Amino acid sequence: MRKRAALAVLTAVAAAAGLAVPGAYADDNRGDIQVDGVVVNGGKNIVVDTADRTVTVSVTASDPSGIWDADFNLWRGPDGTDPYYSAEGLIDPNENTTPADCVASSSTTSTCSKTFTFEPDWWLTNADAGIWKVQVQVSANDGSYTDRWAYTTTRLQRHSKLAVNASPEPVVKGKTLTITGKLSRANWDTLDYRGYTNQPVKLQFRKAGATTYTTVKTVYTSSTGNLTTTALASEDGYWRWNFAGTTTTPAAVATGDFVDVQ
């Protein structure tokens, strides 16, 4: 059962039992705990291909009595929604109830870390790509605690690939080159790669001996993710495609294809 379906079942059970099903969350704080920072995946976006991906979330916090433990949840849903009862909420991707591992750097400050596994072959779907919220819970030795449902956010993305081919090779100076390629990204529903439709991709050229690329034009991908355009061959150099990325898909740059102009 996918986790979204499991959450729906839990909500239904709670309602049938006459339990209150809250529609909004509220941060809860008591005492002197200070959260100094939360880092998800080393500060980088979480990019998942068609295989499982494990990332680490960590919090650094301090309290006069010292930090006892911490926990995290990664979830999706509208602002103000209680993720435990939201149809869009996805709580704790690897369903790991083990508290975070805390390492003290002083008598008052600790850094606590926990891993999460994103599983395309189990619960992750294409619709889950985008912005995720990070819940942070920290407890101190004196009973102080903080519980913040959306302390920060992270971006979950579908891994992308970009290919290029320029032909003919070699080519006569002043003749037309045809540059093709394909932009594809991981499909978590089918566990393969599919073309990314109607996306702007820059065609770039770097002449032999130079170190930087110059944008020649922008071309949009077809319904299958394919790219095709033409350009005049004027000098030896490398041709490539460059995709800037979107919220759900990371940037991708093709390896330059060298063309000998004669």
Side-chain angles (χ1 to χ4, degrees), residues 43-70:
K44 300 178 181 178
N45 294 336
I46 302 170
V47 180
V48 182
D49 54 22
T50 57
D52 292 357
R53 173 73 190 280
T54 298
V55 301
T56 299
V57 180
S58 63
V59 59
T60 299
S62 58
D63 184 86
S65 68
I67 301 302
W68 178 49
D69 71 357

mmCIF file of all heavy atoms in Angstrom, residues 43-70:
data_model
loop_
_atom_site.group_PDB
_atom_site.id
_atom_site.type_symbol
_atom_site.label_atom_id
_atom_site.label_comp_id
_atom_site.label_asym_id
_atom_site.label_seq_id
_atom_site.Cartn_x
_atom_site.Cartn_y
_atom_site.Cartn_z
ATOM 1 N N GLY A 43 22.626 20.376 2.091
ATOM 2 C CA GLY A 43 22.250 21.664 1.518
ATOM 3 C C GLY A 43 21.918 21.609 0.038
ATOM 4 O O GLY A 43 21.660 22.644 -0.580
ATOM 5 N N LYS A 44 21.906 20.411 -0.542
ATOM 6 C CA LYS A 44 21.617 20.255 -1.967
ATOM 7 C C LYS A 44 20.204 19.714 -2.168
ATOM 8 O O LYS A 44 19.627 19.083 -1.276
ATOM 9 C CB LYS A 44 22.618 19.293 -2.611
ATOM 10 C CG LYS A 44 24.064 19.736 -2.504
ATOM 11 C CD LYS A 44 24.987 18.697 -3.121
ATOM 12 C CE LYS A 44 26.451 19.114 -3.008
ATOM 13 N NZ LYS A 44 27.364 18.072 -3.580
ATOM 14 N N ASN A 45 19.651 19.941 -3.363
ATOM 15 C CA ASN A 45 18.374 19.335 -3.705
ATOM 16 C C ASN A 45 18.504 17.813 -3.673
ATOM 17 O O ASN A 45 19.582 17.258 -3.911
ATOM 18 C CB ASN A 45 17.929 19.771 -5.102
ATOM 19 C CG ASN A 45 17.614 21.249 -5.180
ATOM 20 O OD1 ASN A 45 17.292 21.875 -4.186
ATOM 21 N ND2 ASN A 45 17.716 21.819 -6.372
ATOM 22 N N ILE A 46 17.388 17.141 -3.389
ATOM 23 C CA ILE A 46 17.369 15.677 -3.391
ATOM 24 C C ILE A 46 16.990 15.214 -4.792
ATOM 25 O O ILE A 46 15.854 15.410 -5.234
ATOM 26 C CB ILE A 46 16.366 15.138 -2.367
ATOM 27 C CG1 ILE A 46 16.714 15.666 -0.964
ATOM 28 C CG2 ILE A 46 16.353 13.618 -2.378
ATOM 29 C CD1 ILE A 46 15.634 15.389 0.070
ATOM 30 N N VAL A 47 17.932 14.617 -5.497
ATOM 31 C CA VAL A 47 17.703 14.160 -6.866
ATOM 32 C C VAL A 47 17.664 12.634 -6.863
ATOM 33 O O VAL A 47 18.619 11.979 -6.423
ATOM 34 C CB VAL A 47 18.793 14.669 -7.817
ATOM 35 C CG1 VAL A 47 18.536 14.168 -9.237
ATOM 36 C CG2 VAL A 47 18.848 16.195 -7.786
ATOM 37 N N VAL A 48 16.567 12.066 -7.355
ATOM 38 C CA VAL A 48 16.371 10.620 -7.337
ATOM 39 C C VAL A 48 16.210 10.116 -8.758
ATOM 40 O O VAL A 48 15.436 10.676 -9.544
ATOM 41 C CB VAL A 48 15.125 10.243 -6.497
ATOM 42 C CG1 VAL A 48 14.944 8.738 -6.447
ATOM 43 C CG2 VAL A 48 15.247 10.813 -5.080
ATOM 44 N N ASP A 49 16.943 9.034 -9.100
ATOM 45 C CA ASP A 49 16.759 8.441 -10.424
ATOM 46 C C ASP A 49 15.722 7.324 -10.319
ATOM 47 O O ASP A 49 14.659 7.548 -9.752
ATOM 48 C CB ASP A 49 18.099 7.980 -11.010
ATOM 49 C CG ASP A 49 18.874 7.049 -10.079
ATOM 50 O OD1 ASP A 49 18.250 6.429 -9.193
ATOM 51 O OD2 ASP A 49 20.097 6.924 -10.255
ATOM 52 N N THR A 50 15.994 6.142 -10.826
ATOM 53 C CA THR A 50 15.009 5.064 -10.747
ATOM 54 C C THR A 50 15.345 4.060 -9.655
ATOM 55 O O THR A 50 14.685 3.030 -9.539
ATOM 56 C CB THR A 50 14.899 4.338 -12.099
ATOM 57 O OG1 THR A 50 16.196 3.851 -12.481
ATOM 58 C CG2 THR A 50 14.383 5.280 -13.178
ATOM 59 N N ALA A 51 16.367 4.353 -8.861
ATOM 60 C CA ALA A 51 16.762 3.485 -7.752
ATOM 61 C C ALA A 51 16.559 4.227 -6.432
ATOM 62 O O ALA A 51 16.402 5.453 -6.403
ATOM 63 C CB ALA A 51 18.219 3.058 -7.900
ATOM 64 N N ASP A 52 16.572 3.504 -5.328
ATOM 65 C CA ASP A 52 16.396 4.118 -4.018
ATOM 66 C C ASP A 52 17.496 5.137 -3.747
ATOM 67 O O ASP A 52 18.644 4.958 -4.166
ATOM 68 C CB ASP A 52 16.430 3.053 -2.915
ATOM 69 C CG ASP A 52 15.224 2.128 -2.955
ATOM 70 O OD1 ASP A 52 14.334 2.353 -3.793
ATOM 71 O OD2 ASP A 52 15.196 1.167 -2.166
ATOM 72 N N ARG A 53 17.137 6.193 -3.025
ATOM 73 C CA ARG A 53 18.104 7.229 -2.674
ATOM 74 C C ARG A 53 17.949 7.554 -1.190
ATOM 75 O O ARG A 53 16.857 7.898 -0.730
ATOM 76 C CB ARG A 53 17.860 8.481 -3.518
ATOM 77 C CG ARG A 53 18.707 9.688 -3.125
ATOM 78 C CD ARG A 53 20.147 9.533 -3.537
ATOM 79 N NE ARG A 53 21.000 10.561 -2.960
ATOM 80 C CZ ARG A 53 21.113 11.806 -3.422
ATOM 81 N NH1 ARG A 53 20.409 12.183 -4.488
ATOM 82 N NH2 ARG A 53 21.937 12.657 -2.848
ATOM 83 N N THR A 54 19.053 7.434 -0.443
ATOM 84 C CA THR A 54 19.045 7.741 0.982
ATOM 85 C C THR A 54 19.758 9.063 1.232
ATOM 86 O O THR A 54 20.863 9.286 0.720
ATOM 87 C CB THR A 54 19.726 6.624 1.787
ATOM 88 O OG1 THR A 54 18.995 5.398 1.606
ATOM 89 C CG2 THR A 54 19.759 6.960 3.270
ATOM 90 N N VAL A 55 19.131 9.934 2.004
ATOM 91 C CA VAL A 55 19.712 11.240 2.328
ATOM 92 C C VAL A 55 19.691 11.431 3.834
ATOM 93 O O VAL A 55 18.953 10.743 4.562
ATOM 94 C CB VAL A 55 18.957 12.385 1.638
ATOM 95 C CG1 VAL A 55 18.977 12.215 0.133
ATOM 96 C CG2 VAL A 55 17.532 12.471 2.148
ATOM 97 N N THR A 56 20.497 12.376 4.310
ATOM 98 C CA THR A 56 20.594 12.663 5.733
ATOM 99 C C THR A 56 20.035 14.042 6.046
ATOM 100 O O THR A 56 20.283 15.003 5.309
ATOM 101 C CB THR A 56 22.061 12.597 6.194
ATOM 102 O OG1 THR A 56 22.564 11.273 5.963
ATOM 103 C CG2 THR A 56 22.184 12.922 7.681
ATOM 104 N N VAL A 57 19.272 14.119 7.113
ATOM 105 C CA VAL A 57 18.780 15.391 7.630
ATOM 106 C C VAL A 57 19.407 15.581 9.011
ATOM 107 O O VAL A 57 19.447 14.646 9.816
ATOM 108 C CB VAL A 57 17.249 15.410 7.761
ATOM 109 C CG1 VAL A 57 16.767 16.750 8.308
ATOM 110 C CG2 VAL A 57 16.599 15.122 6.413
ATOM 111 N N SER A 58 19.915 16.776 9.295
ATOM 112 C CA SER A 58 20.537 17.019 10.591
ATOM 113 C C SER A 58 20.104 18.370 11.149
ATOM 114 O O SER A 58 19.787 19.300 10.406
ATOM 115 C CB SER A 58 22.064 16.972 10.482
ATOM 116 O OG SER A 58 22.540 17.992 9.632
ATOM 117 N N VAL A 59 20.078 18.452 12.464
ATOM 118 C CA VAL A 59 19.760 19.691 13.165
ATOM 119 C C VAL A 59 20.836 19.948 14.209
ATOM 120 O O VAL A 59 21.301 19.024 14.875
ATOM 121 C CB VAL A 59 18.371 19.634 13.839
ATOM 122 C CG1 VAL A 59 18.294 18.504 14.847
ATOM 123 C CG2 VAL A 59 18.039 20.959 14.529
ATOM 124 N N THR A 60 21.250 21.187 14.324
ATOM 125 C CA THR A 60 22.131 21.606 15.404
ATOM 126 C C THR A 60 21.318 22.478 16.339
ATOM 127 O O THR A 60 20.698 23.460 15.903
ATOM 128 C CB THR A 60 23.340 22.387 14.871
ATOM 129 O OG1 THR A 60 24.091 21.545 13.991
ATOM 130 C CG2 THR A 60 24.242 22.830 16.013
ATOM 131 N N ALA A 61 21.281 22.088 17.612
ATOM 132 C CA ALA A 61 20.451 22.799 18.583
ATOM 133 C C ALA A 61 21.187 22.907 19.909
ATOM 134 O O ALA A 61 22.135 22.166 20.179
ATOM 135 C CB ALA A 61 19.124 22.069 18.769
ATOM 136 N N SER A 62 20.717 23.840 20.734
ATOM 137 C CA SER A 62 21.368 24.044 22.025
ATOM 138 C C SER A 62 20.333 24.347 23.105
ATOM 139 O O SER A 62 19.240 24.863 22.821
ATOM 140 C CB SER A 62 22.386 25.185 21.942
ATOM 141 O OG SER A 62 21.766 26.384 21.521
ATOM 142 N N ASP A 63 20.685 24.001 24.327
ATOM 143 C CA ASP A 63 19.858 24.272 25.498
ATOM 144 C C ASP A 63 20.785 24.269 26.709
ATOM 145 O O ASP A 63 21.760 23.507 26.742
ATOM 146 C CB ASP A 63 18.783 23.190 25.662
ATOM 147 C CG ASP A 63 17.836 23.494 26.803
ATOM 148 O OD1 ASP A 63 16.854 24.231 26.576
ATOM 149 O OD2 ASP A 63 18.088 23.001 27.920
ATOM 150 N N PRO A 64 20.525 25.107 27.720
ATOM 151 C CA PRO A 64 21.396 25.146 28.898
ATOM 152 C C PRO A 64 21.578 23.781 29.565
ATOM 153 O O PRO A 64 22.640 23.505 30.149
ATOM 154 C CB PRO A 64 20.682 26.132 29.828
ATOM 155 C CG PRO A 64 19.948 27.040 28.888
ATOM 156 C CD PRO A 64 19.502 26.159 27.768
ATOM 157 N N SER A 65 20.555 22.925 29.468
ATOM 158 C CA SER A 65 20.641 21.609 30.100
ATOM 159 C C SER A 65 21.241 20.545 29.191
ATOM 160 O O SER A 65 21.467 19.413 29.619
ATOM 161 C CB SER A 65 19.248 21.159 30.551
ATOM 162 O OG SER A 65 18.427 20.890 29.428
ATOM 163 N N GLY A 66 21.497 20.887 27.928
ATOM 164 C CA GLY A 66 21.985 19.917 26.959
ATOM 165 C C GLY A 66 20.843 19.286 26.174
ATOM 166 O O GLY A 66 19.685 19.279 26.614
ATOM 167 N N ILE A 67 21.152 18.765 25.002
ATOM 168 C CA ILE A 67 20.151 18.162 24.106
ATOM 169 C C ILE A 67 20.012 16.680 24.406
ATOM 170 O O ILE A 67 21.005 15.951 24.481
ATOM 171 C CB ILE A 67 20.535 18.390 22.638
ATOM 172 C CG1 ILE A 67 20.634 19.891 22.340
ATOM 173 C CG2 ILE A 67 19.523 17.711 21.709
ATOM 174 C CD1 ILE A 67 19.361 20.673 22.606
ATOM 175 N N TRP A 68 18.755 16.243 24.540
ATOM 176 C CA TRP A 68 18.477 14.833 24.831
ATOM 177 C C TRP A 68 18.308 14.025 23.545
ATOM 178 O O TRP A 68 18.997 13.052 23.302
ATOM 179 C CB TRP A 68 17.225 14.718 25.698
ATOM 180 C CG TRP A 68 16.834 13.302 26.004
ATOM 181 C CD1 TRP A 68 17.640 12.304 26.471
ATOM 182 C CD2 TRP A 68 15.538 12.722 25.862
ATOM 183 N NE1 TRP A 68 16.932 11.144 26.629
ATOM 184 C CE2 TRP A 68 15.624 11.371 26.271
ATOM 185 C CE3 TRP A 68 14.302 13.221 25.444
ATOM 186 C CZ2 TRP A 68 14.533 10.505 26.264
ATOM 187 C CZ3 TRP A 68 13.213 12.367 25.442
ATOM 188 C CH2 TRP A 68 13.342 11.021 25.849
ATOM 189 N N ASP A 69 17.369 14.442 22.660
ATOM 190 C CA ASP A 69 17.193 13.753 21.389
ATOM 191 C C ASP A 69 16.480 14.662 20.393
ATOM 192 O O ASP A 69 16.128 15.804 20.705
ATOM 193 C CB ASP A 69 16.448 12.424 21.557
ATOM 194 C CG ASP A 69 14.976 12.611 21.903
ATOM 195 O OD1 ASP A 69 14.536 13.772 22.075
ATOM 196 O OD2 ASP A 69 14.250 11.602 22.007
ATOM 197 N N ALA A 70 16.295 14.142 19.167
ATOM 198 C CA ALA A 70 15.634 14.908 18.103
ATOM 199 C C ALA A 70 14.997 13.946 17.125
ATOM 200 O O ALA A 70 15.307 12.748 17.101
ATOM 201 C CB ALA A 70 16.633 15.802 17.375
#
